[in-house]
Amino acid sequence: MRFFKDRKNVTDPKRPLEGKISSSLQVNIFNIKQVFTLTPNLIFRDIKLLDRQIDGTLVYLQDLADVKKIEKHIIPPLCTGEFDQPPHASIADFKKTSALQETINGLLKGNTILFLQEHNEAYIYNTVGGPSRTIEDSIFETTLKGSHLGFGETTDQNIALLQQFIPSPKLKAAEVKMEGDLNRHVYLVYLEGTAKEEQLAELTKRIKRTNGDQFINIGQLAECIEDNHWSPFPQFRLTERPDQAAIDLFKGKICVVLDRSPSALIAPGSIMSFFQSVDDYTTRWMLASFVRILRFVAVLISIFLPALYISIVSFNYEIIPIRLLITIGESRAEIPFDPLIEALLMEITLEMLREAGIRLPAPVGQTVGIVGGIVIGQAAVEAGIVSNFMVIIVSLTAISSFIIPNYDMSLGIRLMRFPMMIIASLFGIVGIAVGFMTLIGHIVKLESIGSPYGTLLNPIHSSDFKDSLFRFPLWKAGKSKQSSKD
């Protein structure tokens, strides 16, 4: 940034050091104006400390700072109180600095800066306010019995929410500085003694070498620090729920909180964690285990059912009963397309309807999704474009993908459906088997900040089975944990 160098219009005879607070009040104001050009909400308020007749100027960005706090707790004490180093104010959270860049960063956060005549230091008062919203429930991560609190856009608020769920001094929040000029704030929140030191060090190293000017949300940060940029699967879990983040913290994971982002990043990621929900821990263990198994069955249906239909109709029709084969043949008798084109038409139409339902307002989106699917499916069958069986296959596939609780993982699974369909159209069931083995090999090889992504597949540890495909009873997990300590 360019600071004051030319002082033709300044009465102070002393030339200020570049990047330093000057003893001239006019020079400091000029420097701030040079940096914040075309900034209509930049406010300068002149004050005078009456006891020593010292001129001063308060500088803040309106709508980022709390103006009521300034008018109540800063201006009256400064104008009537005693100047006793630092200037008296009823705000305890303040600091003084001689660096001009620090005052600029403070203004951008919503703080108020006090410049004084004949003082080469500025005072930064914490008056952070700005636009904010109330704590609301998560839209994409709904729960039946869990908490109805969601993360906000400020790091202080999000860390406080985690402290509410884990009221322990072992909960640490370490700030990490990123490269760039935007002064983004990233905090690594973890439980001391539970999180692994090597994972903390690796995550800190990756975030430090990331340019904070390149992104504005936590999803972009996750893309910059992930291990494999070509994998269709998310390698970090993003959550809007502080209770879910607290559960992961107890498991030894690390929560990354970024300012102005309503989601937190959970690292390291594992394939099993994306199929777990907060409701798994609010219901009895047998029911939670059943639901988890149902989710994994839904994943297999979502990826392989269209491909299996294509392979059976095109190549391996001998594996289905003759009566069912005749029924399928009759339904496809008038269809002008081969099974792959038929499946692609329906799947792409389904994806467009799904995206349209998300982008439209909630009442309209639900109507478009339901009515559009029924109308288009029925019209396609009557027009002879697709068969009845294909409509059933696509419907089952859509329902299965909705069961997956994590949106990012759901997108990755929906994407894997299309290469499986193409392989099935070329090689039949043999192609599906090869595709399945390739998929398993990719998951086993994948890592998240050095931790194996495919838990239960590689490496195999008995402790991983307690909260993965099944959820063991909490009292049994407690007993085993206690016995291991003994």
Side-chain angles (χ1 to χ4, degrees):
M1 293 185 179
R2 181 174 176 269
F3 298 115
F4 177 80
K5 292 184 180 180
D6 186 3
R7 54 185 185 89
K8 291 181 180 178
N9 299 324
V10 181
T11 58
D12 189 347
K14 298 180 180 179
R15 185 180 181 86
L17 295 174
E18 184 176 353
K20 297 291 185 180
I21 302 295
S22 171
S23 59
S24 170
L25 182 61
Q26 290 177 308
V27 170
N28 292 327
I29 293 174
F30 186 84
N31 284 337
I32 294 296
K33 288 182 177 179
Q34 286 292 95
V35 174
F36 290 94
T37 58
L38 300 177
T39 308
N41 63 335
L42 181 65
I43 305 299
F44 296 90
R45 298 188 66 167
D46 296 329
I47 61 172
K48 183 181 288 291
L49 279 70
L50 297 178
D51 57 338
R52 296 194 181 183
Q53 298 298 315
I54 299 175
D55 293 327
T57 299
L58 288 172
V59 187
Y60 57 90
L61 289 171
Q62 194 173 16
D63 300 325
L64 280 183
D66 189 343
V67 179
K68 292 183 179 179
K69 184 183 291 186
I70 297 172
E71 294 177 347
K72 182 178 180 180
H73 298 287
I74 294 182
I75 295 178
L78 289 176
C79 294
T80 60
E82 295 182 358
F83 178 40
D84 55 357
Q85 290 293 338
H88 176 73
S90 57
I91 294 180
D93 189 3
F94 70 91
K95 63 180 179 179
K96 59 182 180 179
T97 180
S98 59
L100 186 59
Q101 183 63 51
E102 192 170 356
T103 64
I104 293 169
N105 294 337
L107 286 172
L108 292 171
K109 295 176 186 176
N111 294 322
T112 299
I113 313 299
L114 173 62
F115 294 106
L116 295 174
Q117 182 69 26
E118 298 181 357
H119 285 74
N120 58 359
E121 290 182 325
Y123 297 89
I124 304 176
Y125 296 97
N126 184 3
T127 57
V128 178
S132 61
R133 61 183 176 91
T134 58
I135 297 176
E136 301 173 348
D137 197 1
S138 173
I139 298 176
F140 290 100
E141 296 177 88
T142 58
T143 180
L144 298 176
K145 299 181 181 180
S147 171
H148 294 281
L149 298 176
F151 283 124
E153 280 77 18
T154 61
T155 52
D156 294 338
Q157 184 184 63
N158 293 339
I159 293 173
L161 285 171
L162 291 174
Q163 289 172 332
Q164 284 185 346
F165 284 95
I166 308 178
S168 169
K170 291 185 178 181
L171 184 67
K172 307 298 181 182
E175 185 175 6
V176 181
K177 298 290 185 181
M178 290 187 296
E179 298 179 357
D181 299 327
L182 291 184
N183 195 29
R184 304 303 302 273
H185 291 273
V186 181
Y187 288 89
L188 301 185
V189 185
Y190 61 95
L191 275 175
E192 188 179 27
T194 304
K196 296 181 179 179
E197 294 294 335
E198 59 271 19
Q199 293 178 354
L200 281 169
E202 178 64 23
L203 196 56
T204 302
K205 182 179 70 174
R206 294 188 187 186
I207 293 176
K208 279 185 175 180
R209 68 188 183 199
T210 302
N211 189 351
D213 297 345
Q214 297 177 347
F215 52 83
I216 60 174
N217 60 56
I218 198 76
Q220 293 171 306
L221 174 62
E223 184 178 349
C224 293
I225 64 175
E226 63 185 3
D227 291 67
N228 190 333
H229 300 289
W230 298 101
S231 176
F233 301 112
Q235 291 151 57
F236 300 104
R237 181 174 183 175
L238 303 184
T239 180
E240 296 178 346
R241 304 190 58 86
D243 52 351
Q244 178 63 63
I247 292 173
D248 290 325
L249 288 174
F250 280 121
K251 295 179 181 179
K253 297 190 177 183
I254 306 164
C255 179
V256 183
V257 180
L258 176 68
D259 56 343
R260 297 183 287 278
S261 180
S263 299
L265 183 149
I266 306 299
S270 64
I271 187 68
M272 296 298 175
S273 64
F274 291 95
F275 301 101
Q276 298 173 0
S277 172
V278 175
D279 286 327
D280 295 349
Y281 302 94
T282 58
T283 56
R284 301 182 68 248
W285 68 273
M286 288 184 292
L287 303 178
S289 300
F290 169 75
V291 172
R292 285 188 181 181
I293 295 173
L294 191 64
R295 289 175 190 149
F296 282 97
V297 173
V299 169
L300 297 177
I301 292 175
S302 182
I303 296 177
F304 296 107
L305 184 60
L308 187 63
Y309 172 80
I310 292 172
S311 66
I312 289 176
V313 172
S314 302
F315 295 95
N316 309 102
Y317 46 84
E318 68 278 358
I319 66 174
I320 60 176
I322 187 63
R323 291 185 179 180
L324 182 59
L325 180 62
I326 293 174
T327 304
I328 295 175
E330 291 176 350
S331 66
R332 286 193 44 81
E334 304 296 330
I335 306 301
F337 306 113
D338 58 47
L340 175 62
I341 302 299
E342 181 188 7
L344 287 176
L345 284 174
M346 289 301 296
E347 290 292 346
I348 293 174
T349 303
L350 173 67
E351 295 299 326
M352 289 191 294
L353 283 172
R354 192 199 305 258
E355 287 300 312
I358 294 175
R359 309 306 166 194
L360 291 173
V364 180
Q366 294 177 359
T367 304
V368 170
I370 297 173
V371 177
I374 295 174
V375 171
I376 292 176
Q378 185 65 29
V381 171
E382 292 181 356
I385 299 176
V386 297
S387 63
N388 293 325
F389 272 91
M390 179 52 68
V391 174
I392 296 173
I393 294 296
V394 170
S395 300
L396 288 175
T397 304
I399 293 172
S400 300
S401 63
F402 289 142
I403 298 177
I404 303 169
N406 185 272
Y407 180 72
D408 294 327
M409 178 58 73
S410 176
L411 285 177
I413 289 173
R414 283 155 55 186
L415 179 63
M416 292 305 302
R417 185 185 308 156
F418 293 96
M420 288 296 175
M421 290 162 55
I422 295 173
I423 294 174
S425 68
L426 296 175
F427 305 105
I429 290 182
V430 175
I432 295 177
V434 172
F436 177 73
M437 290 187 290
T438 303
L439 190 63
I440 295 297
H442 172 72
I443 294 174
V444 169
K445 185 179 178 182
L446 199 59
E447 291 185 345
S448 177
I449 59 169
S451 177
Y453 187 77
T455 52
L456 294 187
L457 300 176
N458 180 39
I460 298 176
H461 299 294
S462 59
S463 59
D464 294 335
F465 287 88
K466 296 178 182 178
D467 189 16
S468 53
L469 182 60
F470 302 95
R471 183 178 77 77
F472 278 33
L474 295 178
W475 53 268
K476 187 174 181 59
K479 275 186 178 182
S480 60
K481 186 175 180 181
Q482 184 65 33
S483 61
S484 63
K485 286 182 180 181
D486 296 339

